[in-house]
Amino acid sequence: MPVQDLHPRIQYIWSARALVIALILGAISYVINIVLIDGPELLPVGVSVVVFILGVAHAFLNYSIWRYEVREDALYLERGVIVRVRTTVPFVRIQHVDTSRGPIERLLGLSSSVVYTAGSRGADVTIPGLDAEQAEELQHRLKKLAIAAEGETAV
């Protein structure tokens, strides 16, 4: 399977998350501004705008970097804007694979695949921003590859 990108609509979810965070931080800065520092009235708006712009920029950069690939013996993921993370999940370590669709994901026709692995550190990896059909196909493919890998290492 060639290197796969996420669905472009995931950027909407990440940008919406940035908007929520910007509004919350704007509200907090509003309260701090009134109660503690009595600064300019536009300070909370400025905080919200800056946080939102940074969040949207992060969403677009994250989308441009996020990749996954089903290789011959492992699932490979690459992600991260500030800290680049490359993860290799050998099929023999896969315990099970879930497909999840929250309400906003359903609205946008997206899904996430969660791959649970044996081990304690980072015992699962999530691949967000897949269309529903792609997520189910990935789930079935990883299941078959994990079963085949288990048979290869069995005593």
Side-chain angles (χ1 to χ4, degrees), residues 89-97 115-119 123 146 150:
V89 180
F91 297 136
V92 72
R93 305 295 291 167
I94 294 176
Q95 297 289 311
H96 65 281
V97 181
V115 180
Y116 295 90
T117 63
E150 185 177 292

Side-chain angles (χ1 to χ4, degrees), residues 67-128:
R67 305 272 180 276
Y68 74 95
E69 180 181 9
V70 178
R71 294 183 175 170
E72 194 172 304
D73 60 345
L75 173 65
Y76 175 80
L77 302 106
E78 184 174 345
R79 61 210 183 275
V81 174
I82 297 169
V83 176
R84 188 70 51 95
V85 179
R86 293 184 178 113
T87 304
T88 303
V89 180
F91 297 136
V92 72
R93 305 295 291 167
I94 294 176
Q95 297 289 311
H96 65 281
V97 181
D98 287 342
T99 299
S100 68
R101 299 182 75 200
I104 296 173
E105 287 177 311
R106 284 194 303 270
L107 181 69
L108 294 173
L110 297 176
S111 293
S112 294
S113 287
V114 183
V115 180
Y116 295 90
T117 63
S120 59
R121 183 182 169 270
D124 63 307
V125 292
T126 301
I127 305 171

